[in-house]
Amino acid sequence: MPKHFRCWIALLLAAFFIFPRLASSQIHLESQSFKLGLRSEYFSRLLGGEEGGAMPKLSTYLVSFALSYELKAEFSAAVLLGYSSSSYKELIFRQLPFSIDFEGSGIGGLLAGAEVSKSLFSLGSFKVGALGQFLACIGIAKKYKIPDLAVPGSVEANPSWMRAVAGPVFKLVGQESFAPYFSPCVHYLWGTFSMNQ
């Protein structure tokens, strides 16, 4: 057997016995630092409208993946990516060729955002922490037919919004697989809704 061939076999055997141990410890460390979760949420908000008129309403379902990383003990940051399906009611548009009282559902949007959380201190079985989140929804344009016209017509709805959330988190600890929490947060929502006719 040639000498260089024996050297290659020795290197391959060394790699076979050494690298799996290194790789498994790396995966173990990453699994302790990174967490991937699936979230779902529903919220409904009244939007600012004309004085004396009906208040527009937004209702939306959110589904997102959250990849969080523990930066330090009790302090983590997360990246959020997902999808939203929204419905709007009582929206009135007056700057088109003619006014439209819009009500539409199933308007999709792509979600992206970030979140940070920090545990502050413990009170017996309770942990008190803080949470901050920013979420942006980029709407996917959707067309609707306009009924009762002499000629076919349609409008294209394209909403987008952003939301900032901040507040304390009170968590009951002590159970291994169950940790109920209460979080009275401030939600601030703003955005735009463009309509093309």
Side-chain angles (χ1 to χ4, degrees), residues 100-121:
I100 290 180
D101 187 356
F102 178 78
E103 291 194 8
S105 60
I107 302 175
L110 302 177
L111 297 173
E115 180 181 282
V116 291
S117 61
K118 174 80 171 84
S119 181
L120 301 176
F121 56 90

Side-chain angles (χ1 to χ4, degrees), residues 40-57:
S40 64
E41 180 184 352
Y42 169 81
F43 72 83
S44 181
R45 297 284 185 276
L46 289 176
L47 307 175
E50 297 178 343
E51 287 188 20
M55 294 291 289
K57 184 179 179 181

Side-chain angles (χ1 to χ4, degrees), residues 14 28 42 51 68 120 125 145:
H28 182 65
Y42 169 81
E51 287 188 20
S68 61
L120 301 176
S125 298
K145 291 182 180 179

Side-chain angles (χ1 to χ4, degrees), residues 114-145:
E115 180 181 282
V116 291
S117 61
K118 174 80 171 84
S119 181
L120 301 176
F121 56 90
S122 297
L123 292 171
S125 298
F126 287 92
K127 274 190 177 181
V128 180
L131 171 73
Q133 184 194 88
F134 174 79
L135 196 62
C137 176
I138 301 168
I140 301 170
K142 185 172 181 179
K143 286 189 176 181
Y144 293 88
K145 291 182 180 179

Side-chain angles (χ1 to χ4, degrees), residues 52-127:
M55 294 291 289
K57 184 179 179 181
L58 162 66
S59 301
T60 185
Y61 294 93
L62 312 176
V63 178
S64 61
F65 286 101
L67 179 63
S68 61
Y69 178 72
E70 191 170 347
L71 299 169
K72 296 179 181 178
E74 307 293 336
F75 178 63
S76 63
V79 175
L80 310 174
L81 295 172
Y83 180 80
S84 73
S85 178
S86 304
S87 64
Y88 293 83
K89 292 183 178 179
E90 303 292 342
L91 284 175
I92 299 175
F93 295 89
R94 302 193 186 280
Q95 297 181 355
L96 299 169
F98 50 87
S99 296
I100 290 180
D101 187 356
F102 178 78
E103 291 194 8
S105 60
I107 302 175
L110 302 177
L111 297 173
E115 180 181 282
V116 291
S117 61
K118 174 80 171 84
S119 181
L120 301 176
F121 56 90
S122 297
L123 292 171
S125 298
F126 287 92
K127 274 190 177 181

